Amino acid sequence: MEWIRINTNKLKIMLTAEDAKRYALRFERVDYADTVTRRAFKSILTDIKREAGFDATEDRVYIQLYPSREGGCELFITKTGLLPTEDVESVHKASYGDVGEEPPTVLCRSAAFTFDTVDQLLAVCRRLLGRRFVGESEAWQDDDERFWLLLTEEGDPQSVEDDYMFIAEYGRIEHAKAAALLLSEHGHRICGTGAVETLGAL
């Protein structure tokens, strides 16, 4: 396991295929509400706390996972704030985020979109920037030279298509989890975290 400290609240972790096996992290069944997945993430964060001094045990965390071609993966761990004790009653409504004993109160959703041209991708990023999009975003290109935009932000997962309806003017909505797996094998990242801000300013 290797790691890079991005800032005080964000860490990038690189796991080999052997690391993933040791933590019992199976990408085809990753589900942030699943006990096995949450146990794997908790073990990783416990180990990284000792190794890197990055302590997220008392925080609500936001996790992005990208499988690699070699069978390992990259994890981006972002601390988003302390988990308040008064939220205990509503904790079970969440499906994504904190990897402690209980899930967080914040719902997050992921979305993926494909575009035939870079101009379409840039136009969408500009509109999202104008809407003050504040989530995580990445831009990719696949082996067929299609452009991809991956978005993750707080919000109801059931409302993705309604809230991003305008993107249909430029491209197509795709299955987010399948997109991450496909791009790990047949794509390359052209703009890392903050793609909306970076590309939307062009």
Side-chain angles (χ1 to χ4, degrees):
M1 178 169 64
E2 298 180 358
W3 56 272
I4 298 173
R5 189 71 170 262
I6 298 174
N7 56 44
T8 56
N9 291 318
K10 189 164 189 173
L11 190 75
K12 177 182 178 180
I13 302 173
M14 291 81 76
L15 300 179
T16 65
E18 286 301 313
D19 292 330
K21 184 177 180 180
R22 176 162 55 90
Y23 288 112
L25 192 58
R26 297 173 57 187
F27 309 126
E28 69 274 11
R29 58 171 294 177
V30 166
D31 182 344
Y32 295 87
D34 176 66
T35 302
V36 175
T37 300
R38 295 167 65 78
R39 187 181 300 123
F41 286 153
K42 187 174 183 180
S43 296
I44 291 169
L45 290 185
T46 298
D47 290 346
I48 208 68
K49 176 183 176 182
R50 289 193 296 263
E51 185 175 330
F54 185 84
D55 185 3
T57 56
E58 300 297 327
D59 289 77
R60 178 183 296 138
V61 296
Y62 172 61
I63 298 175
Q64 293 171 282
L65 183 151
Y66 299 99
S68 66
R69 298 181 181 183
E70 296 77 23
C73 69
E74 293 182 351
L75 292 172
F76 290 86
I77 313 293
T78 305
K79 294 193 287 187
T80 61
L82 294 177
L83 184 64
T85 55
E86 62 268 21
D87 286 337
V88 170
E89 291 300 320
S90 58
V91 140
H92 297 284
K93 298 177 183 177
S95 62
Y96 190 115
D98 179 62
V99 293
E101 293 301 323
E102 297 287 351
T105 56
V106 176
L107 285 173
C108 289
R109 60 193 181 178
S110 296
F113 305 91
T114 52
F115 309 96
D116 294 328
T117 69
V118 70
D119 288 339
Q120 292 170 331
L121 170 63
L122 294 177
V124 167
C125 288
R126 291 188 196 106
R127 289 191 63 174
L128 287 169
L129 190 61
R131 289 171 170 234
R132 300 187 178 181
F133 176 84
V134 294
E136 299 284 346
S137 55
E138 292 189 351
W140 291 68
Q141 188 173 25
D142 64 21
D143 292 346
D144 294 327
E145 299 187 351
R146 293 179 300 173
F147 295 92
W148 292 73
L149 183 64
L150 307 182
L151 305 176
T152 310
E153 64 173 339
E154 292 185 10
D156 183 356
Q158 303 301 319
S159 64
V160 167
E161 292 194 24
D162 290 339
D163 291 350
Y164 294 134
M165 183 69 70
F166 74 94
I167 297 181
E169 300 174 28
Y170 305 91
R172 296 165 296 280
I173 189 168
E174 309 285 355
H175 189 281
K177 187 178 289 188
L181 292 171
L182 181 147
L183 292 171
S184 70
E185 294 287 340
H186 302 288
H188 64 276
R189 191 182 292 126
I190 59 177
C191 188
T193 54
V196 166
E197 293 84 353
T198 300
L199 300 180
L202 296 179

